[in-house]
Amino acid sequence: GGGGGGGGATGGLQQLLQGAKLKKTSTRVRRIDGSTFIEGTPEGDATHTPPPPPPPPAPGPPPPAPPAPPNVAASARPLPRSTETKAPPPPPPPPPASSGVILGGVSSSGQLPASASSQQSADADSSGKWKAASISTVKWATCSSLSVSSEGGSGVFFVEAEKLSGKVVVVKGSGTVVQELFASNVGKLIGVTTPDMRMTAYTESEWRNLKKHLQRVAKPKDLSKVQKELDRPYLLIMEYLEGEPLGMMSQQQAEQTFHGSKSCISFYGIGRILALDILLNNWDRLPVVWENEGNPNNIMLSTSGDAWAIDQAVTSINPTVFASGMKKYISKVQQFLQSVISSGNSVESMGIVLEHIAMYTGYSLKGTEACEACDCLRHGLLTTLQRAAKLDIIAEKKKLEEMVPASSDWGNVWQSGLKAINIDFLQSVQGLIKEMMDMAERQPSLHLQRLTPVEDLTHIKVVLLQVALGSQTDDDDLVSQVDCCLTKETLATGCAGHLFLLPEGCIRQPGVPSLEKHPVLSRLAFVAAKHNIVGVLGSLYEAAPDGKVYNTCVVVNSDGKQVASYRKRKVLRNIDCGTEECVIDLPLGRIVVLICHDIEHQDILQQALDRKPFLIVNPVCIPPPDHLSKFPAMLTGAWKTSLTTVSRRWERLARENGVSFLRCDVAFQKGSGFGTSLIVTPEVTHHVSSPVQSVLSALVPKEHESFTWPPPHRDRTEWMDSTGNRFQVQYVEDGIAAIARSSECCFVCPLNKQGLVLGWRSGVIGHWSSDEDKCSHRHDLDKPLLDMCLVNEDLLSVVVEGSWSLLSTKDLSVVEQLELNTPGHIISCCHSRSETVDSVRMVVICGDQVCVHEASIAQRRPCLATSVCSVLPVAMGARQIEKCFALSSSELLIWWGESKCSVLRLFNTDKLDSAALINVDGLDSSTVIDVLNWKDSQICFAADGNAYSIELGTTACTATKIWCSGQSISCVAWAVDETTPLVVIACVDDGTVSLLNIETGMSVCEVIRLPQAPVQVACSSSHIFSVTYSKVCVVSFWVNREKQDLSRFLLPKSLD
């Protein structure tokens, strides 16, 4: 069956395999395990009387669907169904046999998948204390109790592995073992959270021991059911899950899960589960592609908010036999994915999932919460489909073929399950997914990154999680924090990263540094595997067998498997010292682990450098200075001094050895942690945004390549201060960056003395102060922001639909406001140069008219200085205008789209009584990004990565290509001012921010490469401000630890 919930026959397996009907006669029958019973006796009838096999499908209307056997859901809190929750409806009747596709409720074979969760309730008195036991080695002789799933007869049993231990494993007898194993393995490979499971076969001694001891501990009323359901050649041993089925949640439980900081984990996980269902045609869960009401009980939500996929199986459609059903399924998947990718509003495509949740739980999300939830659902779906597109399906099926050779199969059961996994069907679905993902990766608004093998990457994304220390009871919260941070990082940048680092001592529970023996390490490893990322898991206190205590760090690979552990070698407290170094060769490269004080010792550090790693990771826990408890106002200054001191020690070593240093500190709090996390690469130093809980992510190079930069000053006296050329990156505190997550930032105005002002399309303006190092002011407009321009250091010009305002740059208060009496909806607007320094001019295009407004800065009072004039040709139509750019006080560059560009020249601007429209030839591009004035020409930058020089003529204009980057450009800005030819360019494809000399047409250098494509850049004389979807970066240029003006890059190359 499609849901895998124990579909297929139950009971006496040998009769079913032979196709024989049971007869009520006194016949002795042999079970699979060799025991016998007498057919016709009460024991035989109660235990081994299966239903007759289903008849072959006949043409005509199908018979009513029989009740579906329930699915498996290992719930740690089995509760009776609340009156607040709505029971899931039964599957609809099956379609005609010729369809073969699960769209109406049945599979191509006519079998009914499960429709309700089966491991949802057992004995209430024992369920509250149940925990998961390891399924790797279960001692069945010590099992002490067994509880049967209360719903249906799917053969699901909870087994307490040891008396009074409260640790439980799940045993399931199923007729679709092969399909379920395949679905579980595929789910794990593409990042879907599924319970661990393994199979035991009738040829193994464990199979016999399991049956023997489960019958021993079964209650008398359950014995017959246990005997019948275990009479199968292959049984599943599954991980027990602690959580609640989605369909059984009360409204209060749903609100607690879906309303809060961890809700992104739940919705992101549900999106991933939907991706698995689409790939496998597992129809019995979410009613998105399939024409049914779904079964939310096949989604378990853990206490940490994670969404687990349970009871899934592949439901193949044979394209040879059921061609029409195959075509219909492919068409439905294509329509759904196209709506997900092309729709600007995720609620339009993913809102059906929220409706499904509301129908069963009674809790509905609205407004911003609904938008954020659908964004998480969409991103979870798309990022998982990216991985599904690269999955080797044939290899996964081959693994199952090797598990049970045909020669040892019982009655061809295993081989029949393998035949049900149709590779042609799966590859057809996978091919469609690949096509759709290629389309999605070209949509910048979806924030997806192309999946490239780490071996082929030039830069690796690293994520430092600066968390606070808690008590041993807070270790569960640590795991949730890590999962939540990596999920948000994926939502923001399309990739959780390639390596994450936790601080020293973050795991408070001491124990053995082994995934099998330490529950917190095991859960953190699971999170690493879920996000496909290498994890350096901070450190914990290790209790060694010889009685010694070590400070130990554990490293897991992207599959969640432990690859190394390292004991701290230089300790300052009463613990023992390790003796071995830790050098790890991973697919992403060689890394070395040094805990805290180890890196301060020259012999240990030099030994690490001699190993030629590209990364040295350094989890630390730095106590804050004592005086901060008395003088908390000194925190910021002391924190910045500490960051400077640490980076000073590493910057020259990083450049000369081609290595990057990662330092992850504990977040600032009284008694422990100073929040001095940073990343030092050969060219760039990244500082964390604040000393409190933060996330610092960056791209670090795998191989160091020197750039041709201007010559440094003479060497400094101190060896470590002669660092050469270097960029320093500071990330603005989340107080302003969080605004960017709701709407892309489109306007950045740097202030030389006070910081910068950022404006978002959603109508939010934020002011970041360089002195206070945080967002000090915020102004909310009641309408979307159309244009923003810095008039001078004191005034900011802002345009929204229907009004034009001047704001103070100090506190963003409104100085003056003017209502715009425009004849229609504003299509485009821009600020133009005024011929006098005491006024600013703003141009609005609406309908078929151009409106020019002028404000007197001297009086600080906007006033209407001109009238409007109909100047746009009717043939083109003003509504086709995409953008306009001011070239001068009387000239506008209008971008019509489709590689059409014109210059609108206004005569007698006081009255706007005439105009000329001149077409620009030679500009072959999809979109114009920006136009910069340089001397007697205009430099036009296009989205396809080209720069054109436009010479304005009297009757004609020609664009000449002067530079080509080979990358898609997202934004440009003057690097210093309009008197110098230096321009900063941000590229979409690889997130680079680079400097270009437009006078020579030469790229000067790459400033920084960001994990996410910048949406806007701006510059002052000494800073480059780069804004992405989730970050605001402030970049400064240093030579030998002395801050420099960006104009240094204009020095003649002969001086290098």
Side-chain angles (χ1 to χ4, degrees), residues 37 225 258 330 350 425 482-483 499 594 629 674 677 688 696-697 754 776 781 818 981:
F37 69 94
K225 183 179 181 65
F258 299 125
I330 293 293
M350 305 302 298
F425 164 74
V482 173
D483 195 0
L499 181 145
L594 299 176
S629 59
F674 200 17
S677 300
V688 72
L696 175 61
S697 63
Q754 299 167 321
S776 54
L781 304 170
L818 177 70

Side-chain angles (χ1 to χ4, degrees), residues 155-188:
V156 177
F157 308 108
F158 303 91
V159 182
E160 189 172 19
E162 189 175 346
K163 189 174 182 179
L164 302 180
S165 66
K167 294 185 176 181
V168 176
V169 295
V170 180
V171 176
K172 180 180 180 183
S174 170
T176 56
V177 172
V178 184
Q179 296 96 311
E180 291 186 53
L181 279 173
F182 181 83
S184 178
N185 294 341
V186 167
K188 289 184 180 300

Side-chain angles (χ1 to χ4, degrees), residues 237-281:
I237 303 170
M238 304 166 60
E239 177 187 7
Y240 174 76
L241 304 181
E242 301 177 44
E244 190 71 25
L246 176 58
M248 295 187 70
M249 279 186 163
S250 67
Q251 183 174 350
Q252 182 180 4
Q253 288 174 314
E255 183 175 4
Q256 292 174 351
T257 301
F258 299 125
H259 179 76
S261 59
K262 299 177 183 177
S263 62
C264 66
I265 302 177
S266 303
F267 288 116
Y268 188 78
I270 293 173
R272 284 184 154 181
I273 292 172
L274 178 57
L276 175 66
D277 292 345
I278 288 175
L279 176 64
L280 301 180
N281 189 21

Side-chain angles (χ1 to χ4, degrees), residues 609 771 886:
L609 294 173
D771 296 331

Side-chain angles (χ1 to χ4, degrees), residues 760-780:
W760 282 265
R761 287 288 188 194
S762 58
V764 177
I765 300 176
H767 177 272
W768 176 75
S769 171
S770 58
D771 296 331
E772 300 179 21
D773 199 17
K774 66 178 182 180
C775 179
S776 54
H777 300 285
R778 171 174 168 163
H779 184 83
D780 292 311

